[in-house]
Amino acid sequence: IFAEGSHKFLARSRTRHSERFEWKRADELEAYRGPGPREYGGKLKPGSSLANRRRGHQLVVGARYEKTRERVLPAEARFLGYMIGDGCARNQTPMWTNVDPVVRASFEECVRSLGGNTKRADEQTLRVNSGVGHGPGRVHHLRQLLERHGVQGKTAHDKRVPVAIFRADNEAVAHFLAAYFECDGTKTGHYQSSIGSVSRGLLEDCQHLLARLGVRSALRQKRGTYKGKPHLSWCLSIYDEATFYAAVPVVGAKAQDSARFSTRYIREDGVLLDTVVSVRAAGERSCWCIRVEHDESFLANGVVTHNTSAIQFAIAQAIARDPRI
């Protein structure tokens, strides 16, 4: 997390007989005092990093705050989620592969509603065709749509959530996440639902979107083998499964059922703790002052943080002393 020293975070204060949560300045928080090196006497300074000790994954907070809203239809959001999940958009004609018949029907409906059509390439793969124009000069408007959103030509390692989805309303966000989860998500019995990908950036983007819908998640690294060679991928574990399935309209075999949702690693009061493990200076940087009405708090990569009122007060005092600032 890159933060100015006076910025406040919700921290746990624990004594021998009790514990409570209170707002603490970044430069007042104590770092993890376990084994290993500590910097700056255990104090969190500007440019500090917070890490999730349970997962061993370092969190770098830089949530996207868009100034504008962009209208994205649910069908378009789903189409983008499907193509990012199980699509191949590196050729002239986009291709999409999935074996779930309900999900395939949903994908075909999305394509039809966007003015295109599909043709079966084999038992599992659909070819996405455009319904606009005929002959050599015809326009493949669905390929143009993928190009406009930065999906066309990307490999699995390069895929990211389109900027338009970040600017869209929560309905479009939910449909995008539903389609992507139907492709790359995992839901097996009583085990925790998760999303897997070789693109860390893509899952970090999804983590931002899940936080907008009130769903907590954690990103961790996975090391395995693929075709006999070492293989590195990433897994995004979904903690608030009941909230996730209530907000995200998943269809097919991975849709919500009567299975009991997992609540592992979550305290009874719903708080999921991250531990400060290291501190390092970052020098001078530009800062955004963010203000939220009513509860005066917001989430940044799942970390609870407070309005930047302390910074604004300091700036106001400085301007009062010297109007030339």
Side-chain angles (χ1 to χ4, degrees):
I1 294 178
F2 294 103
E4 198 274 339
S6 67
H7 196 75
K8 295 181 180 179
F9 294 86
L10 188 62
R12 178 180 62 174
S13 296
R14 185 167 58 179
T15 65
R16 184 174 181 179
H17 302 290
S18 64
E19 74 170 12
R20 63 176 181 172
F21 288 89
E22 60 184 356
W23 295 107
K24 286 191 176 183
R25 291 166 52 110
D27 52 14
E28 294 175 344
L29 292 172
E30 291 188 357
Y32 170 50
R33 296 184 179 275
R38 289 190 292 115
E39 303 172 44
Y40 300 106
K43 294 294 184 180
L44 188 66
K45 299 291 183 180
S48 303
S49 356
L50 293 186
N52 187 322
R53 182 183 172 198
R54 180 186 64 255
R55 293 294 185 187
H57 171 64
Q58 187 175 9
L59 298 177
V60 179
V61 175
R64 300 184 181 186
Y65 296 93
E66 297 290 348
K67 295 182 179 179
T68 59
R69 280 282 180 259
E70 186 168 327
R71 177 59 177 163
V72 179
L73 296 175
E76 183 177 351
R78 273 193 170 269
F79 178 67
L80 291 172
Y82 282 136
M83 290 303 299
I84 289 175
D86 284 341
C88 177
R90 301 184 64 189
N91 302 316
Q92 287 293 102
T93 302
M95 311 287 282
W96 186 79
T97 303
N98 194 286
V99 297
D100 189 322
V102 177
V103 175
R104 286 169 65 90
S106 175
F107 176 78
E108 291 178 300
E109 177 59 30
C110 286
V111 173
R112 283 195 298 270
S113 65
L114 294 174
N117 60 77
T118 59
K119 184 176 181 180
R120 195 171 76 171
D122 56 45
E123 293 184 358
Q124 300 180 356
T125 303
L126 296 174
R127 182 181 291 109
V128 180
N129 299 315
S130 176
V132 179
H134 300 281
R138 72 178 186 138
V139 177
H140 199 312
H141 72 291
L142 292 182
R143 188 177 67 243
Q144 289 183 336
L145 184 150
L146 295 174
E147 291 173 350
R148 186 170 69 251
H149 289 292
V151 179
Q152 183 72 21
K154 294 295 175 59
T155 66
H157 291 81
D158 301 329
K159 290 180 179 179
R160 299 293 297 263
V161 172
V163 173
I165 298 298
F166 283 100
R167 293 175 175 167
D169 57 24
N170 283 354
E171 181 185 13
V173 168
H175 279 282
F176 173 86
L177 288 172
Y180 180 55
F181 183 81
E182 291 161 19
C183 297
D184 288 350
T186 300
K187 182 178 183 296
T188 308
H190 297 285
Y191 291 97
Q192 194 169 49
S193 299
S194 62
I195 306 174
S197 175
V198 294
S199 172
R200 173 177 175 173
L202 175 58
L203 294 188
E204 287 178 340
D205 291 346
C206 290
Q207 194 171 32
H208 283 293
L209 297 180
L210 287 170
R212 278 181 55 177
L213 302 180
V215 179
R216 291 168 297 173
S217 59
L219 187 64
R220 63 182 176 88
Q221 190 180 85
K222 289 181 64 179
R223 292 187 178 274
T225 57
Y226 179 70
K227 294 183 178 179
K229 297 181 179 180
H231 182 257
L232 175 65
S233 62
W234 301 88
C235 178
L236 184 64
S237 298
I238 298 171
Y239 290 124
D240 300 308
E241 292 189 283
T243 304
F244 173 78
Y245 286 105
V248 179
V250 179
V251 301
K254 300 171 186 176
Q256 179 181 0
D257 55 25
S258 59
R260 296 169 61 184
F261 296 112
S262 169
T263 56
R264 294 176 297 171
Y265 311 117
I266 303 178
R267 292 157 45 108
E268 291 183 0
D269 59 6
V271 176
L272 195 64
L273 298 175
D274 292 319
T275 306
V276 181
V277 297
S278 65
V279 178
R280 57 178 179 266
E284 293 186 358
R285 295 182 178 227
S286 299
C287 293
W288 290 96
C289 292
I290 300 168
R291 190 164 190 85
V292 179
E293 298 297 332
H294 306 303
D295 63 2
E296 299 184 348
S297 65
F298 57 92
L299 290 177
N301 264 24
V303 178
V304 181
T305 185
H306 197 273
N307 280 350
T308 52
S309 55
I311 300 174
Q312 293 170 350
F313 181 75
I315 294 174
Q317 282 189 321
I319 293 176
R321 288 194 301 267
D322 188 354
R324 295 172 299 175
I325 294 179

